[in-house]
């Protein structure tokens, strides 16, 4: 399997995207296709083993009448682990979910299955060498449900084995390339670092390598030693992306078209309407150019000029519309261009017909023929003007994404072999993890990394929303794309290129355009049937008025003008074709989503699709994890209490440190830091574990390992009481003062409990304001945590949460069950907010999963919305959740408003164009209809741009006026002034699920 990304030019509405998508999906070997109208980006997954090539896909797009170019093409690696998403329809209850889960889980090679009844999605992790996505789809269908594959992608199993694919252009220096292509491939494949090399086209090879074992510069050096000049082909061109988002090509085209058509339209209007209105005598007395020609009776000079101008505008300037019409006709799909082409062609050819009739019949009264060249010319002028305004407005909707893309510098300066005096400047594509990068004042930081030398202040406003410069020193983390202040520093690159935080944000924003909300799919359906419906209405309108005017002459004096019944009925029919606008419907959702996700990214909120916006519209319940979500997650061991007051030995410290080092949990990191400090404070020898023989992490409980130290083997368990021996609790002195509000982690060595760690964690600076805001606005807030009950209650009190809504000592699976129960008993949507690996099941189970970016990558991947937050405890914030709520709700309301006005426009204007008001002498001229059509699309895009006026929510305004002290003082007073019997009044929910 391979995946290719293309850019499609020339699409104007959802009918265009439907045509292209349908055409690509009909190509044999194509597995999936997703296309965005706003960005023009098309992602195609296809099977190249059947002979399908990228050129065939491009050809299928061009057959639809659109220009297409490939951005990148890469192989979906047949690695052990894949992540697949399927859409399952027909499920009605929990029993259906269980049936699908068991059916898929029974397949050999399936690791994990998560099925959501509400979203009708099935997420599967599986071994690609044992089972494929089609087999999984068949298993779901065997259970009695319909299934559709939504996506398949490689899932990273651990942090040590990441493969990256890069295309390299080769130019032979010493000999011809095609003399020994196999030799090049075999030479590169020596070693485990480069597992795959293939020629994809002339002089271009695709290299797949382990980026943690070899860098791209090393590969280029190997090729150079073989006698080749090697240049990397970037996976994405920032300048090209910016041009696409800014609609540079489209704006230039429509600017030229608009200038030509408007200039000639003014001349045509003066000829056909201006002079006759200002000087009627010139027309009555047949002055030039209203004079009959000397060489052909019945032909007038006015019509010669009109014919020349109309022909040029219709077939030269307006050739775009004819090409689009022909392509839509071939595929039986109508667009706005179809309506424009038909209406202008009718006006043009009717005018020619009138001229011919006037010449043949030789009108005896000397009247000029009924020609409407001015109508066809003015229509194209109005539509061109509207298209120009529309594309300019479209480019404004993607300014946030364009700003993020422009943050990546084209080159960077690195230090090689420790030579700080002579740094080397390289293209940004050649930067690799582990490089030491030099950053001077005012420069853009090229990648994520950690400072190793110097200090500075950094502007991270476009990434984190922090308006003030952030101070950075040695060991501080920097974000790629942020801008350096006055300092000069060096840092070690960690995440580069497509793996950086900035690239992930850009990728998420683009992906949001490919995920359609249900309301957008409804609008697209309306647009797909719009054009044939309008053409049918126009034909019926012409027939109706022609027949009615013929048999009912008296009441229809207006339509029976001097121009004749046919002429008047024909103009009304043309107005119907012109005034209708499917473009407004097609643009209603994608433009609003682009603006909404853009302002979200500017305010620390990443929204992963239009469907998420719709779910936010009916939110009732927020469920929070505690550690790392309501708290900073930067835990610290307050003290160690040994069984019978015994202190930790040096050996115990060594094995505990080695055991906790296998886990990334904040508690484990706090204990490792404590052990390091204890070892440093002791002057005697510091024993070190020689090997960790085995280790197992129990989600939500702790770790159990077997360590080897000085030839002896130790079995170590660190974590919750449930990991300890069951009979130990009956005689332990450690439980006597357990109710102390600390997070507690017990320690067992060789099945004997030796003590516990008391750990503290700070509340985020705005957790209280966030919970207070949600409570005041009618939302219910809950806490679900694996921590002990006393610690959970303390945090709930500090943040102002109802103590009866606290679930403590809950395992990861239990979090999902609690979320599911809340979803079953709540009419609205349930949002889960978390950050850890153990939160991933709950994030997927909930209607909307919100992850804090300071947490694990798995949680971030599982979530629907990501809140960007600073890892530093003093800057850790939860306010982004309120911004996410407000942005999502207002964006969805804007989508509904856009669709409402688009529907209202057509509902209101089409009847008027059809002649509802003709008996009262009111009708819509085709030129006025053309202007209305052009402005309707512009108005929808401008409506979406109104979202840019959004301002972050001020959560401080909702605080009680009598809390005049600082938040920290208020929390301290709240905690220390509560009555001693407070806990006795709480409905105890330790480890229990609500009934």
């Amino acid at each position: 399997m391979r995946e290719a990304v293309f850019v499609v030019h020339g699409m104007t509405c959802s009918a265009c995207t439907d045509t292209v998508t349908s055409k690509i999906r009909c190509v044999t070997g194509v597995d999936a296709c997703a296309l965005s109208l706003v960005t023009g980006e098309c992602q195609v997954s296809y099977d190249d083993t059947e002979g399908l090539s990228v050129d065939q896909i491009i050809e299928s797009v061009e057959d639809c009448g659109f220009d297409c170019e490939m951005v990148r093409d890469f192989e979906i690696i047949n690695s052990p682990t894949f992540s697949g998403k399927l859409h399952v329809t027909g499920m009605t209850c929990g029993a259906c979910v269980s049936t699908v889960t068991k059916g898929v889980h029974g397949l050999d090679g399936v690791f994990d299955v998560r099925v959501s009844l509400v979203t009708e999605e099935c997420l599967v992790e599986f071994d690609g060498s044992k089972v494929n996505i089609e087999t999984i789809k068949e298993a779901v269908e065997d259970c009695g449900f319909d299934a559709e594959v939504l996506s398949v992608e490689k899932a990273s199993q651990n942090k040590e084995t990441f493969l990256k694919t890069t295309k390299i252009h080769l130019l032979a220096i010493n000999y011809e390339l095609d003399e020994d292509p196999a030799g090049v491939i075999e030479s590169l494949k020596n070693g485990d670092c480069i597992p795959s090399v293939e020629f994809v086209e002339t002089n271009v090879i695709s290299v797949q390598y382990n980026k943690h074992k070899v860098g791209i510069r090393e590969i280029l050096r190997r090729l150079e030693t073989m006698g080749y000049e090697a240049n990397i082909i970037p996976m994405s061109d920032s300048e090209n992306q910016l041009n696409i988002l800014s609609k540079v090509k489209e704006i230039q085209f429509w600017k030229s078209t608009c200038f030509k058509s408007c200039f000639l339209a003014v001349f045509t209007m003066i000829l056909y309407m201006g002079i006759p209105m200002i000087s009627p005598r010139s027309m009555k007395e047949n002055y030039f150019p209203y004079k009959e020609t000397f060489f052909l009776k019945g032909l007038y000079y006015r019509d010669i000029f009109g014919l020349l101008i109309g022909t040029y505008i219709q077939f030269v300037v307006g050739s775009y519309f004819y090409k689009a019409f022909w392509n839509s006709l071939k595929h039986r799909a109508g667009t706005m261009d179809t309506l424009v082409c038909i209406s202008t062609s009718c006006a043009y050819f009717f005018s020619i017909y009138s001229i011919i009739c006037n010449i043949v019949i030789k009108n005896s009264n000397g009247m000029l023929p009924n020609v409407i060249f001015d109508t066809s010319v003015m229509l194209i002028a109005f539509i061109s003007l509207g298209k120009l305004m529309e594309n300019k407005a479209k480019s404004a909707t993607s300014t946030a994404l364009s700003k993020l893309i422009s943050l990546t510098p084209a080159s960077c300066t690195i230090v090689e072999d420790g030579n700080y005096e002579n740094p080397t400047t390289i293209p940004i594509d050649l930067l690799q993890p582990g490089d030491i990068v030099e950053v001077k004042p005012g420069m853009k930081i090229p990648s994520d990394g950690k400072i190793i030398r110097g200090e500075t202040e950094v502007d991270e406003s476009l990434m984190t929303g922090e308006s003030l410069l952030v101070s950075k020193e040695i060991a501080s983390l920097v974000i790629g794309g942020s801008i350096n202040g006055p300092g000069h520093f060096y840092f070690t690159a960690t995440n580069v290129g497509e793996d950086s935080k900035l690239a992930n944000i850009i990728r998420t924003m683009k992906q949001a355009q490919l995920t359609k909300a249900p309301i957008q799919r409804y609008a697209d359906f309306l647009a797909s049937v719009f054009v044939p419906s309008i053409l049918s209405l126009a034909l019926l309108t012409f027939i109706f008025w022609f027949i009615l005017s013929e048999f009912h002459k008296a009441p229809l004096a207006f339509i029976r003008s001097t121009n004749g019944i046919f002429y008047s009925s024909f103009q009304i029919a043309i107005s119907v074709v012109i005034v209708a606008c499917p473009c407004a419907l097609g643009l209603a959702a994608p433009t609003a989503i682009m603006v909404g996700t853009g302002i979200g990214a500017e305010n620390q909120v990443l929204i992963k699709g239009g469907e998420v916006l719709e779910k936010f519209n009916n939110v009732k319940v927020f469920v929070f994890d505690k550690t790392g979500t309501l708290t900073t997650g930067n835990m610290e061991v307050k003290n160690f209490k040994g069984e019978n007051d015994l202190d930790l030995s040096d050996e115990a410290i060594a094995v505990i440190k080695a055991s906790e080092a296998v886990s990334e949990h904040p508690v484990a990191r706090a204990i490792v830091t404590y052990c390091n400090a204890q070892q440093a404070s002791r002057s005697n020898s510091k024993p070190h574990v020689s090997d960790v023989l085995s280790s197992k992490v129990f989600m939500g409980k702790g770790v159990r390992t077997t360590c080897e130290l000085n030839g002896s083997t130790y079995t170590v368990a660190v974590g919750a009481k449930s990991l300890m021996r069951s009979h130990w609790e009956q005689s332990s002195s450690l439980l006597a003062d357990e109710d102390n509000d600390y997070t507690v982690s017990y320690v067992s060595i060789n099945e004997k409990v030796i003590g516990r760690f008391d750990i503290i964690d700070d509340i985020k600076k705005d957790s209280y304001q966030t919970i207070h805001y949600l409570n005041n606005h009618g939302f219910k807030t809950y806490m679900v945590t694996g921590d002990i009950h006393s610690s959970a209650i303390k945090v709930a009190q500090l943040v102002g949460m109802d103590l009866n809504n606290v679930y403590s000592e809950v395992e990861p699976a239990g979090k999902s069950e609690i979320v599911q129960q809340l979803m079953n008993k709540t009419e609205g949507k349930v949002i889960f907010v978390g950050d850890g690996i153990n939160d991933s099941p709950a994030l997927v189970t909930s209607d909307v999963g919100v992850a804090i970016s300071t947490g694990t990558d798995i949680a971030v991947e599982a979530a629907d919305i990501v809140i960007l937050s600073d890892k530093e405890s003093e800057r850790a914030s939860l306010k982004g959740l309120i911004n996410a709520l407000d942005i999502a709700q207002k964006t969805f309301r804007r989508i509904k408003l856009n669709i409402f006005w688009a529907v209202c426009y057509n509902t209101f204007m089409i009847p008027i164009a059809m002649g509802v008001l003709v008996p009262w002498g009111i009708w819509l001229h085709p030129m006025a209809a053309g202007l209305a059509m052009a402005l309707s699309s512009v108005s929808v895009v401008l409506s979406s741009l109104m979202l840019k006026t959004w301002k972050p929510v001020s959560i401080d305004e909702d605080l009680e006026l009598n809390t005049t002290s600082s938040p920290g003082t208020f929390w301290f007073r709240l905690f220390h002034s509560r009555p001693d019997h407070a806990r006795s009044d709480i409905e105890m929910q330790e480890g229990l699920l609500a009934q």
Side-chain angles (χ1 to χ4, degrees):
M1 292 292 293
R2 299 185 70 86
E3 181 173 305
V5 179
F6 306 89
V7 174
V8 182
H9 302 282
M11 298 184 298
T12 58
C13 62
S14 56
C16 301
T17 61
D18 290 342
T19 300
V20 174
T21 304
S22 301
K23 183 69 174 178
I24 293 176
R25 286 175 177 169
C26 290
V27 177
T28 303
V30 170
D31 184 60
C33 174
L35 177 62
S36 167
L37 173 63
V38 175
T39 63
E41 187 170 290
C42 179
Q43 295 181 359
V44 181
S45 299
Y46 67 98
D47 186 356
D48 59 333
T49 59
E50 300 181 5
L52 179 61
S53 66
V54 170
D55 291 336
Q56 290 175 272
I57 299 175
I58 293 176
E59 185 178 345
S60 68
V61 176
E62 292 176 343
D63 285 344
C64 298
F66 303 99
D67 294 331
C68 179
E69 58 179 315
M70 187 187 72
V71 177
R72 59 181 180 273
D73 176 33
F74 53 91
E75 183 179 0
I76 303 177
I77 310 302
N78 290 321
S79 63
T81 306
F82 278 85
S83 176
K85 181 186 289 187
L86 297 96
H87 180 224
V88 183
T89 54
M91 298 186 297
T92 58
C93 61
C96 301
V97 173
S98 177
T99 301
V100 174
T101 303
K102 291 179 181 178
V104 176
H105 219 297
L107 296 174
D108 183 29
V110 173
F111 301 131
D112 188 26
V113 182
R114 297 189 293 273
V115 182
S116 171
L117 175 63
V118 178
T119 62
E120 297 183 339
E121 288 180 348
C122 176
L123 301 177
V124 188
E125 290 185 6
F126 59 94
D127 187 340
S129 62
K130 296 181 179 179
V131 66
N132 58 38
I133 195 66
E134 291 301 325
T135 305
I136 295 171
K137 177 186 175 184
E138 291 173 5
V140 176
E141 292 173 344
D142 289 341
C143 296
F145 304 97
D146 293 329
E148 178 187 358
V149 178
L150 298 180
S151 64
V152 183
E153 58 184 12
K154 177 179 175 291
S156 57
Q157 287 183 300
N158 54 61
K159 296 182 180 179
E160 300 299 327
T161 55
F162 281 122
L163 297 177
K164 185 172 182 179
T165 302
T166 300
K167 283 187 178 181
I168 299 175
H169 181 267
L170 299 180
L171 179 63
I173 298 175
N174 299 328
Y175 53 84
E176 293 297 327
L177 179 65
D178 56 1
E179 288 182 2
D180 188 22
V184 176
I185 293 177
E186 290 303 318
S187 299
L188 273 180
K189 289 176 66 174
N190 289 335
D192 297 329
C193 300
I194 308 177
S196 155
V197 184
E198 61 176 348
F199 277 90
V200 293
E201 55 186 86
T202 305
N203 290 19
V204 176
I205 61 172
S206 176
V207 180
Q208 183 189 102
Y209 60 96
N210 187 327
K211 63 183 180 182
H212 289 294
K213 293 183 178 181
V214 66
I216 185 62
R217 295 199 302 277
E218 174 61 26
I219 296 174
L220 296 182
R221 288 193 189 103
R222 291 192 196 182
L223 290 169
E224 288 172 358
T225 59
M226 299 177 197
Y228 293 89
E229 180 182 331
N231 295 301
I232 186 172
I233 300 177
M235 295 292 283
S236 59
D237 184 359
S238 296
E239 184 177 351
N240 188 42
Q241 290 183 65
L242 290 173
N243 288 336
I244 293 170
L245 291 172
S246 300
K247 305 292 180 184
V248 173
K249 184 177 179 181
E250 290 86 349
I251 289 174
Q252 289 177 345
F253 173 79
W254 288 113
K255 186 180 291 185
S256 173
T257 303
C258 183
F259 174 78
K260 295 174 184 176
S261 58
C262 287
F263 176 79
L264 293 176
V266 171
F267 182 80
T268 307
M269 287 294 292
I270 293 173
L271 184 66
Y272 279 89
M273 297 183 68
I275 297 176
M277 289 177 62
I278 298 173
S279 177
R281 182 181 175 186
S282 60
M283 192 170 180
K284 289 180 181 180
E285 298 186 10
N286 297 115
Y287 292 151
F288 185 86
Y290 306 102
K291 184 178 180 180
E292 194 174 43
T293 60
F294 66 91
F295 53 86
L296 188 58
K297 200 73 173 176
L299 179 63
Y300 292 81
Y301 289 105
R302 179 201 69 171
D303 297 328
I304 294 177
F305 295 140
L307 178 63
L308 293 174
I309 294 173
T311 303
Y312 174 75
I313 294 294
Q314 192 72 29
F315 298 108
V316 179
V317 178
S319 60
Y320 165 86
F321 299 108
Y322 277 96
K323 292 176 183 177
F325 170 69
W326 174 246
N327 290 319
S328 65
L329 194 64
K330 286 193 298 183
H331 302 284
R332 299 177 183 177
T335 66
M336 189 190 83
D337 299 326
T338 305
L339 300 179
V340 174
C341 184
I342 290 175
S343 58
T344 56
S345 296
C346 286
Y348 175 81
F349 288 111
F350 175 79
S351 299
I352 293 179
Y353 169 77
S354 296
I355 293 174
I356 293 174
C357 286
N358 200 63
I359 294 173
V360 174
I361 298 174
K362 295 183 175 59
N363 198 338
S364 59
N365 58 11
M367 292 184 62
L368 278 73
N370 292 326
V371 296
I372 47 175
F373 287 122
D374 56 329
T375 298
S376 64
V377 172
M378 287 301 297
L379 283 177
I380 292 179
F382 282 146
I383 298 302
S384 300
L385 178 61
K387 287 280 190 180
L388 177 61
M389 295 171 62
E390 178 187 323
N391 279 282
K392 284 190 173 182
K394 279 183 183 179
S395 69
T397 63
S398 57
T399 52
L401 182 56
S402 298
K403 286 180 181 178
L404 290 174
I405 293 175
S406 64
L407 289 177
T408 304
S411 62
C412 61
T413 304
I414 64 171
V415 174
E416 293 186 294
D417 302 325
N419 187 1
Y420 285 88
E421 300 299 325
N422 296 301
T424 304
T425 300
I426 61 171
I428 192 68
D429 295 315
L430 300 186
L431 184 65
Q432 55 196 38
D435 282 339
I436 297 176
V437 184
E438 179 185 22
V439 182
K440 296 180 180 180
M443 291 179 60
K444 295 175 183 176
I445 299 175
S447 72
D448 302 343
K450 180 181 288 188
I451 295 179
I452 60 172
R453 185 173 176 180
E455 58 183 27
T456 187
E457 291 181 330
V458 176
D459 178 7
E460 298 178 347
S461 57
L462 280 176
M463 297 293 297
T464 65
E466 179 64 53
S467 58
L468 301 176
L469 293 178
V470 180
S471 178
K472 301 289 183 179
E473 55 189 16
I474 293 178
S476 294
L477 300 177
V478 291
I479 304 173
S482 52
I483 301 174
N484 185 29
H488 181 196
F489 68 94
Y490 298 84
F491 74 94
T492 301
T494 53
N495 298 320
V496 303
E498 295 296 316
D499 300 322
S500 68
K501 190 174 183 179
L502 175 62
N504 286 330
I505 294 174
I506 294 171
R507 189 160 49 246
T508 300
M509 290 184 65
K510 287 184 176 180
Q511 195 64 37
Q513 281 291 310
L514 300 175
T515 307
K516 293 183 178 180
I519 192 173
Q520 183 179 350
R521 290 193 286 269
Y522 174 71
D524 290 347
F525 168 75
L526 290 180
S528 66
V529 299
F530 195 87
V531 172
S533 301
I534 292 302
L535 294 177
S536 300
L537 282 176
L539 180 61
L540 290 174
T541 299
F542 173 79
I543 295 173
F544 174 81
W545 284 114
F546 186 83
I547 295 175
L548 195 64
S549 300
E550 188 69 34
F551 291 98
H552 297 276
K553 300 178 181 180
L556 301 174
F558 177 78
I559 200 168
R560 290 182 56 81
S561 64
T562 56
N563 294 323
I565 296 174
F566 182 88
Y567 176 85
S568 300
S569 301
F570 186 72
Q571 275 202 321
I572 292 179
I574 289 179
S575 294
V576 174
V577 176
I578 295 170
V579 80
C581 186
C583 233
L585 274 173
L587 292 171
T591 53
I593 291 173
M594 176 59 84
V595 178
T597 53
I599 62 175
E602 291 176 342
N603 290 274
Q604 309 173 62
V605 176
L606 294 184
I607 303 172
K608 293 187 176 180
E611 190 174 358
V612 179
L613 300 172
E614 188 156 348
K615 290 177 182 178
F616 254 103
N617 194 49
N618 190 28
V619 174
K620 297 296 182 184
V621 173
F622 282 83
V623 183
F624 292 86
D625 174 49
K626 180 180 76 70
T627 305
T629 303
L630 293 172
T631 67
T632 63
N634 296 317
M635 293 185 154
E636 179 184 353
V637 175
K638 187 68 174 178
N639 57 64
F640 174 81
K641 180 173 178 57
E643 184 72 72
N644 301 321
D645 295 328
L646 294 177
D647 199 5
L648 284 172
S649 65
D650 293 335
E651 290 76 11
I653 292 175
V655 295
I656 291 171
K657 174 185 172 182
S659 299
E660 289 293 76
V662 304
S663 174
E664 290 295 323
H665 195 277
V667 170
R669 292 199 299 266
I671 293 175
V672 170
T673 301
Y674 177 82
C675 291
N676 286 331
Q678 289 294 312
Q679 287 182 335
S681 64
R682 302 189 182 191
S683 56
N684 56 337
S685 61
K686 305 176 182 60
H688 293 280
V689 172
S690 58
D691 191 17
V692 178
L693 302 178
S694 65
S695 65
K696 185 173 182 179
V697 177
F698 297 86
M699 292 297 179
K701 294 182 179 180
V703 298
R704 183 181 290 275
T705 64
T706 301
C707 305
E708 186 177 310
L709 175 65
N710 297 332
S712 299
T713 302
Y714 295 84
T715 301
V716 184
V718 186
K721 285 188 293 186
S722 56
L723 278 182
M724 308 298 116
R725 290 182 293 111
S726 59
H727 63 272
W728 153 77
E729 297 185 18
Q730 300 174 4
S731 59
S732 174
S733 63
L734 297 175
L735 302 178
D737 60 342
E738 187 189 50
D739 193 16
N740 55 15
D741 298 330
Y742 292 123
T743 295
V744 175
S745 187
Y746 295 92
V747 181
S748 167
I749 298 180
N750 293 333
E751 303 301 331
K752 179 180 179 181
V753 178
I754 65 169
R756 73 160 193 256
F757 291 101
D758 292 334
I759 303 170
I760 60 174
D761 190 8
D762 294 329
I763 305 294
K764 286 183 178 177
K765 61 181 182 180
D766 53 9
S767 290
Y768 173 75
Q769 292 98 320
T770 300
I771 300 300
H772 186 90
Y773 177 92
L774 293 174
N775 291 337
N776 274 7
H777 285 75
F779 300 103
K780 292 184 179 180
T781 55
Y782 292 80
M783 182 197 299
V784 182
T785 178
D787 209 345
I788 62 174
H789 192 66
S790 58
S791 178
I793 289 298
K794 172 190 173 183
V795 172
Q797 287 179 316
L798 294 182
V799 300
M801 188 178 292
D802 187 343
L803 302 182
N804 287 317
N805 292 347
V806 177
Y807 297 86
S808 59
E809 300 185 27
V810 180
E811 296 182 0
K815 291 185 179 182
S816 290
E817 293 177 19
I818 292 173
V819 169
Q820 187 63 59
Q821 288 184 11
L822 292 173
M823 291 166 64
N824 292 338
K825 72 178 184 180
T826 303
E827 293 183 0
K829 304 294 184 183
V830 175
I831 292 180
F832 183 84
V833 188
D835 75 316
I837 294 176
N838 56 348
D839 295 328
S840 299
L843 287 167
V844 175
T845 301
S846 62
D847 293 304
V848 180
V850 179
I852 310 299
S853 66
T854 52
T856 62
D857 293 338
I858 294 177
V860 170
E861 288 296 324
D864 300 300
I865 288 182
V866 179
I867 307 299
L868 302 178
S869 182
D870 204 303
K871 290 182 179 290
E872 301 294 332
S873 58
E874 63 271 13
R875 292 196 297 272
S877 173
L878 193 61
K879 182 184 175 182
L881 177 64
I882 304 302
N883 288 338
L885 174 66
D886 198 53
I887 290 170
Q889 290 183 337
K890 288 183 176 177
T891 301
F892 184 68
R893 284 200 291 268
R894 182 62 58 174
I895 292 173
K896 291 196 294 184
L897 181 64
N898 287 351
I899 293 177
F900 172 77
W901 283 117
V903 172
C904 282
Y905 163 81
N906 287 293
T907 304
F908 179 73
M909 295 300 294
I910 291 174
I912 294 177
M914 291 176 68
V916 172
L917 303 178
V918 163
W920 292 273
I922 301 174
W923 69 296
L924 192 65
H925 193 278
M927 284 188 281
L931 182 60
M933 179 190 190
L935 294 180
S936 63
S937 299
V938 178
S939 63
V940 167
V941 181
L942 292 178
S943 173
S944 296
L945 287 174
M946 291 296 292
L947 281 170
K948 287 196 169 188
T949 61
W950 180 89
K951 299 295 182 185
V953 179
S954 178
I955 58 179
D956 294 329
E957 293 179 359
D958 282 353
L959 290 175
E960 297 291 339
L961 295 176
N962 57 0
T963 55
T964 55
S965 57
S966 66
T969 306
F970 174 72
W971 295 338
F972 181 87
R973 185 175 68 250
L974 175 65
F975 173 60
H976 288 281
S977 63
R978 70 181 188 274
D980 294 336
H981 57 80
R983 285 196 179 88
S984 64
D985 296 333
I986 300 170
E987 179 185 350
M988 300 298 288
Q989 300 185 41
E990 291 186 67
L992 300 178
L993 303 181
Q995 300 300 321

